[in-house]
Amino acid sequence: MFVDKVKLTLAAGTGGNGMVAFRREKYVPMGGPAGGDGGRGSDIIFKGDRNLSTLLDLRYNKIVKGHDGQNGMNKKCHGKNAEPVIVKVPIGTIVKDENNELLADITRDNQEEIIAVGGRGGRGNVRFATNANPAPNISENGEPGEKLDVIVELKLLADVGLVGLPSVGKSTFLSVVTAAKPEIADYHFTTIVPNLGVVKADDGNSFVMADLPGLIEGASQGKGLGTQFLRHIERCRVLVHIIDMAAVEGRDPIDDFQKINNELNEYNSSLLKRPMIVVANKADLDTFDDNYNRFYDKYRDDYEIYKVSTLTNTGLKEVLYRISELLKENEIVYETFDTVKVYRFENDDDFTITFEDNMFVLSGPKVERLFKMTNFNTEEGIERFARKMRYYGIDDALRKEGAKDKDLVRIEDFIFEFID
């Protein structure tokens, strides 16, 4: 089964907790701090794999979770960092966030991109030692890993894309000029997935050709197979527009040509600016010549038009040679991005205060991260949490919202009293 678009939920690993521990050594206050830091949670990495051709595996595994880092240990031992989780995807895969912003474009074999970052490990009590407090009874919990929803799309990396209405001979053309074996039959939409083949031209060059499922009028709005496969045209350097010039099904070849070009323009206007040659197919039939002459008179100044018969192999060498020349002249690979994940600046100092169920509710990235990383099992940890809340200006903000002594305040599932 060919799958070229999936939605995933990624949850990178949480860092390991720091440890509170003390050495047992003479003349060292309380034995001295000896709690190690926690290990880092695992990142989630997407990796290009040339042996894959579909996103089928991801369709049935829509939640990808990272591993948590190991907790810190005694004797200042650092917890083990978690191994990254590798998600293998076909070459040509792009990853976007839920705002449709590009995170990664996988265009090379073994290319790796970090999509979700694992949380850092919490600090052990040895990190909090100061001259004023040489034996702190405080540590941090591990930082939560990054969580996000992503859209994973496969856009085939083909040099040449075959476009045209259903049953005009695209699959037959591909099967004749390559070793590909697409399904061929005398009914519409026999091709329901893109097929790839490698062409070896007589000039010694080779290139990848994609037979894309037949388009219909309204495809750019999702009709037929619609935008499900139009995305695969975006990376092609040369387009080959195949037309049933014999009008076997009674359609006008000129009308067919205009319909497909309109759909390409509606989907992405830059597609029509790329090199395009027209293959007038089915030259072996009696109804070919009249239609060809009309078409040639109308478009000869705008397009290169070739007479072809995939049944008798007429005209194929000339087409392949011209495609090879156009590829040499147009080396740009369209719609690819040399990028890693885009990190946007977000002011996580902001927080919000709402009033729900007779209590004040605090939310915001920095506040929630502080809560998750605080070890509430020690008195010093609780005191540090309170100091941080005051430092962030949350105490003053609660007073402005009307909070009074003994009022309840909630952060996620943690409820405490406001002390004025």
Side-chain angles (χ1 to χ4, degrees):
M1 181 183 296
F2 182 81
V3 177
D4 63 354
K5 185 175 183 179
V6 295
K7 293 183 179 180
L8 299 178
T9 297
L10 308 181
T14 299
N17 298 334
M19 187 177 188
V20 174
F22 299 95
R23 297 199 308 269
R24 301 304 178 191
E25 187 176 333
K26 193 174 181 180
Y27 305 122
V28 177
M30 295 185 66
D37 298 343
R40 187 176 185 84
S42 62
D43 299 330
I44 296 179
I45 298 175
F46 279 55
K47 181 177 181 179
D49 187 339
R50 66 180 180 181
N51 297 315
L52 297 177
S53 59
T54 176
L55 301 174
L56 180 62
D57 291 345
L58 300 182
R59 182 178 181 180
Y60 301 107
N61 186 24
K62 293 189 175 182
I63 300 178
V64 181
K65 292 183 178 181
H67 308 297
D68 295 342
Q70 187 179 25
N71 293 336
M73 294 171 285
N74 202 351
K75 298 182 180 179
K76 302 181 182 180
C77 291
H78 195 290
K80 184 179 180 181
N81 294 333
E83 293 293 328
V85 173
I86 305 295
V87 180
K88 293 185 178 180
V89 294
I91 297 175
T93 297
I94 64 173
V95 184
K96 297 180 179 180
D97 64 15
E98 53 190 344
N99 296 318
N100 210 37
E101 184 170 340
L102 181 72
L103 301 181
D105 187 16
I106 312 296
T107 59
R108 304 184 305 275
D109 190 34
N110 293 321
Q111 176 185 346
E112 294 185 354
E113 301 289 353
I114 300 175
I115 305 300
V117 179
R120 67 173 178 84
R123 292 174 291 179
N125 67 331
V126 70
R127 297 281 190 173
F128 294 93
T130 64
N131 290 333
N133 185 11
N137 189 30
I138 183 175
S139 67
E140 280 182 334
N141 293 335
E143 181 183 29
E146 189 175 12
K147 295 182 180 179
L148 69 161
D149 294 324
V150 297
I151 299 172
V152 184
E153 293 184 4
L154 172 61
K155 294 184 178 182
L156 295 179
L157 284 176
D159 300 302
V160 182
L162 304 181
V163 298
L165 285 167
S167 299
V168 296
K170 299 188 299 300
S171 297
T172 304
F173 185 90
L174 184 72
S175 68
V176 172
V177 300
T178 75
K181 302 298 180 184
E183 182 178 354
I184 300 172
D186 58 354
Y187 56 85
H188 289 191
F189 296 110
T190 53
T191 302
I192 58 175
V193 300
N195 292 299
L196 293 178
V198 178
V199 179
K200 293 184 178 179
D202 287 346
D203 61 0
N205 292 319
S206 61
F207 51 86
V208 177
M209 181 177 288
D211 164 28
L212 303 169
L215 305 176
I216 63 173
E217 188 174 12
S220 58
Q221 281 75 47
K223 292 184 179 180
L225 296 175
T227 56
Q228 182 179 0
F229 295 114
L230 272 169
R231 71 171 68 95
H232 296 297
I233 301 174
E234 292 183 280
R235 294 188 188 270
C236 298
R237 290 188 281 160
V238 174
L239 300 182
V240 177
H241 197 144
I242 298 183
I243 300 173
D244 173 12
M245 199 61 74
V248 172
E249 298 189 353
R251 299 190 307 263
D252 182 4
I254 293 177
D255 187 47
D256 286 358
F257 183 71
Q258 292 174 340
K259 284 179 179 178
I260 293 302
N261 281 355
N262 287 339
E263 295 306 320
L264 295 178
N265 184 63
E266 287 291 327
Y267 179 74
N268 185 342
S269 59
S270 68
L271 293 175
L272 293 184
K273 298 177 183 178
R274 299 182 192 179
M276 177 188 288
I277 64 174
V278 178
V279 170
N281 193 21
K282 305 185 182 180
D284 54 291
L285 299 181
D286 295 337
T287 53
F288 178 90
D289 289 335
D290 289 342
N291 290 324
Y292 176 81
N293 292 333
R294 285 193 306 112
F295 190 95
Y296 185 80
D297 289 342
K298 184 175 179 64
Y299 291 109
R300 62 183 175 183
D301 295 331
D302 301 317
Y303 297 96
E304 299 180 42
I305 307 170
Y306 293 85
K307 290 183 179 181
V308 164
S309 171
T310 54
L311 182 65
T312 62
N313 289 356
T314 303
L316 296 179
K317 288 185 179 180
E318 292 81 358
V319 173
L320 297 181
Y321 182 78
R322 182 55 183 151
I323 292 174
S324 181
E325 286 185 330
L326 288 173
L327 290 173
K328 293 177 186 177
E329 297 169 6
N330 298 271
E331 298 182 352
I332 299 174
V333 178
Y334 296 96
E335 296 294 327
T336 59
F337 307 86
D338 185 14
T339 183
V340 295
K341 180 176 177 181
V342 177
Y343 289 94
R344 292 170 294 180
F345 173 77
E346 295 181 356
N347 185 7
D348 63 359
D349 289 339
D350 293 337
F351 56 86
T352 59
I353 300 175
T354 58
F355 192 76
E356 302 174 10
D357 300 327
N358 295 318
M359 67 181 69
F360 294 92
V361 179
L362 281 172
S363 59
K366 195 167 188 176
V367 173
E368 292 170 1
R369 183 166 62 250
L370 172 64
F371 163 71
K372 292 175 181 177
M373 296 185 69
T374 297
N375 182 357
F376 290 100
N377 294 324
T378 65
E379 186 175 345
E380 288 187 38
I382 296 173
E383 291 175 354
R384 179 174 180 269
F385 177 78
R387 290 195 302 271
K388 287 283 188 178
M389 296 279 280
R390 286 193 293 272
Y391 177 77
Y392 294 161
I394 294 174
D395 285 11
D396 291 337
L398 284 169
R399 291 188 184 95
K400 289 180 181 179
E401 293 294 328
K404 299 178 181 178
D405 196 41
K406 303 296 184 180
D407 281 350
L408 297 180
V409 180
R410 176 167 64 86
I411 300 178
E412 294 198 345
D413 57 353
F414 181 63
I415 300 176
F416 57 94
E417 290 184 346
F418 177 72
I419 305 299
D420 196 357

